[in-house]
Amino acid sequence: MLEIDLGAIVANWRALCAQHPSGPVAGVVKADAYGLGARPVAAALYDAGCRHFFVAYLEEALCVRDMVPDAMVAVLSGPIPGTEAVYAEHDLTPVLGSLAEIDAWAARGPAILHVDTGMSRLGLSAANLDTLAADPARLNGLHLRYVMTHLVSSEDPEHAVNEAQRHRFAAARSRLPAAPASFANSSGLFLGEHFGTDLGRPGAALYGINPTPGQPNPMRAVVRLRVRVLAVRDIPTGASVGYNATWIARRPSRIATAAFGYADGFHRSLSGKTTACFDGTPVPLVGRVSMDLTTFDVTDHPGVQPGCWFEIIGPHQGVDDLATMAGTNGYEILTSLGRRFHRVYLPA
Ligand SMILES: *Cc1c(COP(=O)(O)O)cnc(C)c1O
């Protein structure tokens, strides 16, 4: 059972607004709101007063559009040629990141201009900016809602690239028509007032991922994941558990089999590396995580019976903790959370 606390998401958004006094704070709800459900999340943020949303793709924008009437819904990946009319029809804001996209969009309505200051993925390059400076008429008729760029390493406040990007962004803006700016993602909001602009763009921190790694997490936890124990069995010393017999009982043991696995986004790399929480105490995961089933050593937990629940994500072990054990980040843990879990939304 995956519990998603919409009230915590709204509280996190309010905290991030306080962290960004220079302008409003958008909600980044791409990838189905980092796996948590774009429609309910966008609706809760809208009710709280959020009026700017970012998604990655056009389909995601169409999915949330009716939940956030009159709010800006911007599509980060840029319009695929031929889809411009769909943007206009649904009042979606494209993020233009190439000269071709600028030319194709022309004067169809408001747009955001994306400048590349170090990511080298999307956005106008330095050479593109030279071209535009030489031919400013190319931007005639374009209603620039924002000029934006994206930080490379904002979770590392010591990294020199943060300042370098700030300077490159300022230089790029000085070569473009005057327009409001959008800069900081979640961690960028914690880099100090120099990174404040006319629109913050956090995603991860809304969903409880720590935007200040190595420091206490200023955000509220949003997800709680519990899984059901299907079976409990006694095995003798020497018996193996799971695929490839990676765990062998060194004493007569009790093994609980829980109803989840890597098909639910519980990374196979967590085999043997993490614990569940039962009755406030940690229960070690043993053997390989398999597709639909995962095994735990409950020899020291006589209260565990078929039908009881193990907590996998909760106060004992947060999303970031699980990410560290799995060798990834919280973003990947959240966006991997499977669609088979029964989802319960706690209202805002
Ligand atoms: C995903 C994304 C964000 C949000 O980043 P977080 O680190 O999750 O806060 C902001 N801007 C752009 C361009 C993005 O792709």
Side-chain angles (χ1 to χ4, degrees):
M1 181 163 66
L2 184 61
E3 239 173 55
I4 297 163
D5 187 344
L6 295 171
I9 295 176
V10 165
N12 287 338
W13 179 71
R14 293 209 169 100
L16 294 169
C17 289
Q19 191 66 31
H20 192 252
S22 57
V25 169
V28 177
V29 295
K30 63 189 178 187
D32 200 25
Y34 293 41
L36 301 184
R39 285 176 64 80
V41 168
L45 289 173
Y46 182 86
D47 285 347
C50 181
R51 289 296 177 271
H52 304 83
F53 294 87
F54 284 87
V55 294
Y57 299 112
L58 177 58
E59 290 77 3
E60 296 178 332
L62 295 173
C63 168
V64 298
R65 176 75 278 185
D66 67 308
M67 306 305 275
V68 295
D70 77 5
M72 180 187 90
V73 177
V75 180
L76 289 165
S77 62
I80 291 170
T83 60
E84 291 85 1
V86 183
Y87 281 78
E89 185 186 337
H90 296 274
D91 185 25
L92 305 174
T93 302
V95 176
L96 308 176
S98 72
L99 298 177
E101 286 172 3
I102 290 171
D103 293 343
W105 184 254
R108 284 168 199 270
I112 296 174
L113 213 50
H114 184 179
V115 181
D116 179 19
T117 55
M119 197 66 103
S120 304
R121 304 186 306 184
L122 302 174
L124 297 171
S125 65
N128 293 155
L129 289 171
D130 291 340
T131 305
L132 287 175
D135 182 11
R138 215 148 162 186
L139 291 172
N140 280 355
L142 194 65
H143 170 187
L144 273 190
R145 197 165 242 172
Y146 294 97
V147 176
M148 62 163 270
T149 194
H150 191 39
L151 285 157
V152 169
S153 277
S154 53
E155 74 283 3
D156 178 3
E158 304 304 323
H159 204 302
V161 75
N162 296 318
E163 270 305 296
Q165 286 191 275
R166 198 166 73 76
H167 290 298
R168 285 179 209 139
F169 189 37
R173 287 186 67 206
S174 72
R175 305 184 71 190
L176 290 166
S182 176
F183 192 12
N185 66 333
S186 297
S187 295
L189 295 172
F190 292 83
L191 287 177
E193 61 182 21
H194 293 318
F195 290 79
T197 56
D198 303 295
L199 185 66
R201 277 191 335 270
L206 291 173
Y207 311 117
I209 292 174
N210 188 355
T212 58
Q215 314 257 43
N217 189 348
M219 312 320 298
R220 268 178 62 180
V222 168
V223 299
R224 184 168 174 210
L225 175 63
R226 278 172 293 169
V227 299
R228 189 185 282 280
V229 172
L230 295 175
V232 179
R233 72 193 51 226
D234 293 300
I235 60 170
T237 304
S240 68
V241 173
Y243 285 115
N244 309 117
T246 57
W247 193 82
I248 312 271
R250 294 213 199 102
R251 57 176 176 167
S253 300
R254 282 179 84 233
I255 299 297
T257 302
F260 76 124
Y262 60 74
D264 302 296
F266 191 75
H267 295 230
R268 192 166 168 275
S269 59
L270 287 165
S271 300
K273 287 201 185 140
T274 184
T275 60
C277 184
F278 176 74
D279 244 1
T281 53
V283 181
L285 188 161
V286 294
R288 281 263 151 86
V289 172
S290 49
M291 188 182 290
D292 318 300
L293 300 170
T294 298
T295 39
F296 294 84
D297 178 4
V298 295
T299 313
D300 301 323
H301 304 270
V304 174
Q305 299 295 338
C308 54
W309 293 83
F310 280 170
E311 189 160 270
I312 304 298
I313 298 174
H316 77 293
Q317 171 171 276
V319 170
D320 291 309
D321 300 322
L322 209 54
T324 302
M325 290 182 271
T328 181
N329 60 13
Y331 298 64
E332 195 181 14
I333 296 291
L334 285 187
T335 55
S336 303
L337 285 174
R339 299 299 180 267
R340 296 198 293 194
F341 294 126
H342 174 62
R343 287 171 178 237
V344 176
Y345 287 93
L346 305 183

